[in-house]
Amino acid sequence: NIEGVDIAHLGGNETVASLVQFLDGLPFKPGYRRFRIRDVDGIDDYASIREVVARRFRKLRADGDVFPDVLLVDGGIGQLRRALEAFEKLDITPPLVLSLAKKEELVYAMNRDKPLRLSRRSYALRLLQYVRDEAHRFAQHYHHLLRRKRTLGEIGCPPSRYSALY
C-alpha cells in the first residue's frame, strides 16, 4: 500500500496536513487522516512534513500497525530529507520514502543521489501523481473547512447536508 502526505496553509495560518492511503492503486478513504500542525510556527513546509511523518509513524509503531510499503511526500528533495529525519529521530526503519516534485514531475527516492525521470505515460508516474494529487485535494479541503469555521465562527445556521446546493 501507499500513503501520501501533503501540507496546506494560507500565509502560514491554519497549517494542516493530509495523509491518504491507496490499496492496490485505488484510494482507501477509511485510511485517510488529517492533522493540524502543532509544533511549527509560520510557513515551514519542511518542518511540517517532519512533524506529520513523526506523528503518523510514532502512532503506527505504538499501535503495532503495519507500515505502508511506500510513503510519498508532496515536494522535492527538501521534503524527502525532512521525512527521513523524522524516521531517524524516532529510530524507525522507514518504508520506501519518495517525493514527487511538481512541474518537472521528478521522483526523489531515499538512498539515491539523483531524481528519477519517469516517462509521462508510465503507469508508475501516473499512480504517484494520483496519490500526490489526492493528498493535495484532501489537505486543501481540510484547510478550507478550518478557514470557513474560523471566519464564520459560531454565527449563522449550522451546516446541513443541503448547504452545498445553495
Side-chain angles (χ1 to χ4, degrees):
N1 72 2
I2 301 173
E3 291 188 354
V5 175
D6 191 22
I7 305 296
H9 58 79
L10 181 64
N13 292 322
E14 303 286 351
T15 302
V16 298
S18 68
L19 180 130
V20 297
Q21 244 182 25
F22 277 59
L23 299 176
D24 297 325
L26 297 171
F28 180 69
K29 296 202 176 187
Y32 283 25
R33 301 287 178 268
R34 40 192 204 188
F35 302 83
R36 284 189 187 202
I37 300 302
R38 302 180 194 147
D39 301 331
V40 178
D41 293 323
I43 301 170
D44 190 344
D45 286 358
Y46 297 143
S48 297
I49 287 288
R50 187 174 47 234
E51 178 183 330
V52 74
V53 169
R55 286 170 56 190
R56 171 64 174 162
F57 284 86
R58 186 181 302 118
K59 181 166 177 24
L60 286 175
R61 179 175 62 186
D63 293 347
D65 289 336
V66 176
F67 286 7
D69 299 308
V70 176
L71 175 66
L72 177 68
V73 177
D74 182 22
I77 189 71
Q79 285 86 348
L80 175 68
R81 287 181 178 148
R82 294 321 173 276
L84 292 171
E85 283 175 8
F87 288 105
E88 189 176 320
K89 185 176 180 184
L90 294 170
D91 196 28
I92 292 176
T93 302
L96 174 60
V97 182
L98 306 172
S99 67
L100 180 59
K102 289 186 178 88
K103 293 182 186 170
E104 291 190 45
E105 303 293 12
L106 296 174
V107 179
Y108 292 89
M110 59 190 283
N111 303 324
R112 284 189 62 101
D113 293 332
K114 295 183 180 180
L116 300 167
R117 185 181 301 274
L118 302 176
S119 164
R120 294 274 180 173
R121 292 186 303 267
S122 80
Y123 176 74
L125 178 61
R126 286 193 284 166
L127 176 59
L128 293 176
Q129 288 170 326
Y130 187 20
V131 173
R132 181 208 48 211
D133 294 347
E134 181 66 1
H136 181 75
R137 183 200 64 77
F138 193 57
Q140 290 297 319
H141 175 71
Y142 183 42
H143 181 256
H144 290 298
L145 287 175
L146 292 180
R147 260 190 23 223
R148 187 177 315 133
K149 184 177 177 182
R150 187 186 70 202
T151 303
L152 296 177
E154 296 299 320
I155 58 174
C157 58
S160 75
R161 64 184 188 174
Y162 302 109
S163 61
L165 300 175
Y166 300 102

